[in-house]
Amino acid sequence: MQCKGHPEPALYNGGILRWAKKIKDFRTADEGNYSPSFVLYNMSAGMAYSFSCWVKFNGPGTIHVKAKILSLDNAGSQCLGTALVRNDCWSFLKGGFTLNSPSQTSVLYFQAATANASMVSIRSASLQPFSPEQWSQHREDRIQLIRKRFVNVHVSDISGGRVVGAKVAVRQMSRDFPFGSAISKTILGNKPYQDWFRKRFNAAVFENELKWYATEPAPGKEDYALADQLLQFVQSSDAVARGHNIFWEDPKYTPWWVKNLTSADQLRAAVAGRIESLLSRYKGDFVHWDVSNEMLHFDFYESRLGRNATTDFFRTAKRADPLATLFLNDFNVVEVCDDLSSSADSYVSRLRQLADAGVTFEGIGLEAHFGKPNIPYVRAVLDKLGTLRLPIWLTEVDISNALDPKTQAAYLEEVLREGFAHPSVDGIMLWTAMDASAACYQMCLTDGNFTNLPAGDVVDRLLGEWQTREVLGATNDRGSFNFSAFLGEYKLSVTYLNSSAEGTFSLARSDDTKHITIRLQP
């Protein structure tokens, strides 16, 4: 995410563009039209192509530069990556793509988002293809490395001697990785819905019940009854809750009476009352707060209270609830490449503006409302944002209902696997709250009788795959039993002849093997 005086070497030694490193500079004039840089032959459908390069331009200020791929076979073009580019240093552009059909001839080109960019320069370009099997294997390798841990149970007798052949049983009691769903008031008093939720999820977010228009529909008429009941349900389910949201910059979802306030002083008093009321009531109850929702796209509060309004929101929220992690949350960061308001570089630029104003930023929220996901692009964005070393959550995952249920499910599985396998992703929330008519915002997991739809089958299969239900075995000739298990809380029991022992242990992320010593009692 840093603009550097010199570009770094090409990834993968350039991949299929390794010849390009022999050329010092690619310079392409750009007046908003196509500006060819690389001609590619015999591109395959189904392959995942990872692209990267370093970019600068000859012009004033800072501009967005897009990398795009054009298939000459069908004249189809798609954006594969963007970067915010300056003229005094080199910016890293990382992205990727897949093709729906083979292409005999394609052109990978660059396009500036503004017309005053006179020259775009490219160095250290790399294009690396991966087969579906390679891509999948990389994900599995990452899951083994970051979501699981090796355990070595050492069993000895009362005198410290090794016990060979002791029976070991290990059962996972809870999962470390937060995987949850949005819920709404329809879950209250609905035991089948509650049982369905508790069986699957260890995290929740309220769909609408914490939003300002819900908790204070008229000035001074606060009503937290539904939010209180939802929070009680989540806490009784041993789940964590995200706070969504304190403010929403989209005027369409701003309370009517707030929009009608005629002066900045009135609005300032209203927002101060909102933070005080909300966070004093729920201090310590929510692990996260989305402080200023979708501020990359909208600016209701900043346009009326000034550029420092968001800074004040974060500072006040941190003072009111210092234990909660404060998030910026927005859409189209990982979903699409063409929305420059929320590119990875735009996101980071806004974070840096807040940091320069004294805000300690703590969490990156990516809504993840997908149509057809571009998985190589998703990974590239997560890679770039991951360099900030901040927790990243996919906060509102779903797939468009314009697609049929089976396609929805297939795309959902790809997104969930990609998120779970990425080392910078600390949690995943599905945006699948069900209303009274058994409908959901875009994607439901079940029907009204809580029978799985295809997307629900995917979720259940992955939840089963990503936990260690039970491990059974016996100690070897060294008195040890080794296994690998997903991170979380475990119960352990060991038996040998008339001796036994029980205990519990936790698996947190670490590169080291977890060693557990058990001494049997007669």
Side-chain angles (χ1 to χ4, degrees):
M1 299 305 305
Q2 296 179 353
C3 200
K4 299 194 172 185
H6 300 281
E8 295 183 0
L11 299 181
Y12 308 109
N13 196 31
I16 61 177
L17 300 180
R18 58 177 49 90
W19 56 268
K21 63 184 178 182
K22 299 177 181 178
I23 303 174
K24 185 176 181 181
D25 252 352
F26 290 91
R27 297 181 178 272
T28 60
D30 185 353
E31 298 177 354
N33 299 315
Y34 297 150
S35 50
S37 288
F38 302 104
V39 179
L40 308 169
Y41 299 103
N42 300 320
M43 304 286 283
S44 301
M47 298 287 284
Y49 290 91
S50 178
F51 177 76
S52 61
C53 66
W54 291 83
V55 192
K56 69 186 300 188
F57 87 108
N58 179 20
T62 302
I63 64 168
H64 263 104
V65 170
K66 298 180 185 179
K68 306 183 85 171
I69 185 79
L70 170 68
S71 173
L72 300 184
D73 301 79
N74 56 26
S77 174
Q78 64 172 305
C79 177
L80 60 94
T82 65
L84 270 174
V85 179
R86 292 160 36 186
N87 66 0
D88 59 340
C89 57
W90 292 88
S91 299
F92 189 56
L93 186 154
K94 189 173 189 184
F97 63 93
T98 58
L99 297 176
N100 293 327
S101 58
S103 174
Q104 291 186 346
T105 307
S106 300
V107 177
L108 198 160
Y109 64 98
F110 300 86
Q111 202 167 28
T114 55
N116 64 347
S118 57
M119 196 75 69
V120 176
S121 299
I122 309 298
R123 282 195 190 173
S124 300
S126 171
L127 184 65
Q128 179 66 37
F130 297 93
S131 69
E133 294 76 19
Q134 289 172 321
W135 197 269
S136 178
Q137 186 59 55
H138 180 268
R139 287 197 292 220
E140 292 307 306
D141 292 343
R142 296 302 298 181
I143 288 172
Q144 175 63 55
L145 185 65
I146 64 173
R147 308 296 180 202
K148 301 181 76 175
R149 189 173 172 186
F150 286 102
V151 182
N152 194 354
V153 178
H154 306 272
V155 181
S156 62
D157 57 27
I158 194 169
S159 62
R162 298 170 180 171
V163 176
V164 179
K167 294 181 180 179
V168 179
V170 178
R171 179 178 294 275
Q172 187 171 14
M173 308 305 293
S174 65
R175 290 174 282 120
D176 176 76
F177 186 84
F179 189 99
S181 172
I183 57 175
S184 68
K185 61 184 179 182
T186 56
I187 204 169
L188 298 174
N190 188 335
K191 191 174 185 304
Y193 194 176
Q194 293 178 355
D195 291 344
W196 173 86
F197 178 93
R198 285 176 169 140
K199 183 179 178 181
R200 291 162 175 81
F201 301 123
N202 60 0
V205 61
F206 307 166
E207 187 176 38
N208 298 310
E209 286 77 6
L210 271 180
K211 293 169 183 173
W212 197 359
Y213 63 74
T215 62
E216 193 175 5
K221 304 291 186 182
E222 293 183 340
D223 184 358
Y224 289 102
L226 291 175
D228 287 349
Q229 292 176 68
L230 286 174
L231 180 61
Q232 183 180 20
F233 164 72
V234 173
Q235 292 176 338
S236 70
S237 303
D238 295 326
V240 297
R242 297 194 74 248
H244 177 77
N245 51 57
I246 301 177
F247 298 109
W248 196 344
E249 290 283 352
D250 188 345
K252 184 166 63 172
Y253 300 106
T254 302
W256 64 267
W257 61 270
V258 175
K259 287 188 285 188
N260 289 342
L261 294 175
T262 57
S263 73
D265 287 342
Q266 289 176 323
L267 180 57
R268 196 170 288 109
V271 299
R274 162 68 172 173
I275 296 180
E276 170 61 25
S277 173
L278 185 68
L279 297 193
S280 63
R281 186 181 191 90
Y282 295 118
K283 182 177 180 179
D285 287 326
F286 292 90
V287 293
H288 303 161
W289 282 107
D290 293 330
V291 178
S292 193
N293 197 48
E294 298 180 352
M295 60 179 294
L296 298 179
H297 289 90
F298 307 103
D299 64 348
F300 174 82
Y301 295 98
E302 288 199 346
S303 66
R304 289 157 177 80
L305 299 177
R307 190 68 168 173
N308 292 330
T310 303
T311 302
D312 293 339
F313 294 166
F314 274 90
R315 286 175 174 167
T316 306
K318 178 49 65 177
R319 287 194 300 267
D321 194 352
L323 296 181
T325 303
L326 305 184
F327 273 68
L328 187 155
N329 189 55
D330 223 306
F331 62 90
N332 281 355
V333 185
V334 292
E335 295 97 316
V336 298
C337 177
D338 281 310
D339 188 346
L340 299 182
S341 296
S342 53
S343 70
D345 286 23
S346 295
Y347 200 117
V348 173
S349 177
R350 196 68 175 98
L351 293 185
R352 287 175 174 160
Q353 290 173 10
L354 291 169
D356 290 343
V359 171
T360 301
F361 218 88
E362 299 173 327
I364 295 173
L366 309 177
E367 292 186 12
H369 295 292
F370 286 96
K372 179 180 180 180
N374 177 355
I375 294 300
Y377 178 75
V378 171
R379 183 178 296 183
V381 171
L382 293 175
D383 285 346
K384 288 194 76 172
L385 293 176
T387 63
L388 300 179
R389 300 292 188 263
L390 292 173
I392 298 174
W393 279 56
L394 304 182
T395 58
E396 304 179 18
V397 178
D398 63 16
I399 307 295
S400 171
N401 60 14
L403 302 164
D404 66 86
K406 288 187 177 180
T407 303
Q408 268 189 324
Y411 289 167
L412 176 66
E413 181 168 356
E414 285 297 298
V415 171
L416 295 181
R417 287 189 181 279
E418 198 63 38
F420 189 70
H422 200 281
S424 296
V425 174
D426 281 8
I428 296 175
M429 303 295 292
L430 302 170
W431 204 250
T432 49
M434 183 184 293
D435 66 20
S437 62
C440 305
Y441 173 66
Q442 290 288 333
M443 181 186 73
C444 280
L445 301 181
T446 74
D447 62 18
N449 295 317
F450 299 99
T451 300
N452 271 2
L453 299 171
D457 286 336
V458 164
V459 169
D460 283 354
R461 185 170 70 253
L462 293 182
L463 285 174
E465 185 179 319
W466 294 339
Q467 61 182 308
T468 307
R469 295 185 185 276
E470 188 175 52
V471 178
L472 302 174
T475 53
N476 58 22
D477 58 1
R478 300 185 63 82
S480 298
F481 175 63
N482 308 298
F483 60 96
S484 175
F486 283 95
L487 306 183
E489 302 291 324
Y490 284 83
K491 183 176 181 180
L492 167 69
S493 64
V494 179
T495 58
Y496 181 73
L497 300 178
N498 295 324
S499 301
S500 65
E502 292 186 347
T504 60
F505 64 92
S506 299
L507 290 183
R509 187 186 294 193
S510 174
D511 294 333
D512 297 329
T513 297
K514 176 83 170 185
H515 289 271
I516 301 170
T517 299
I518 297 291
R519 180 165 291 187
L520 294 174
Q521 299 297 323

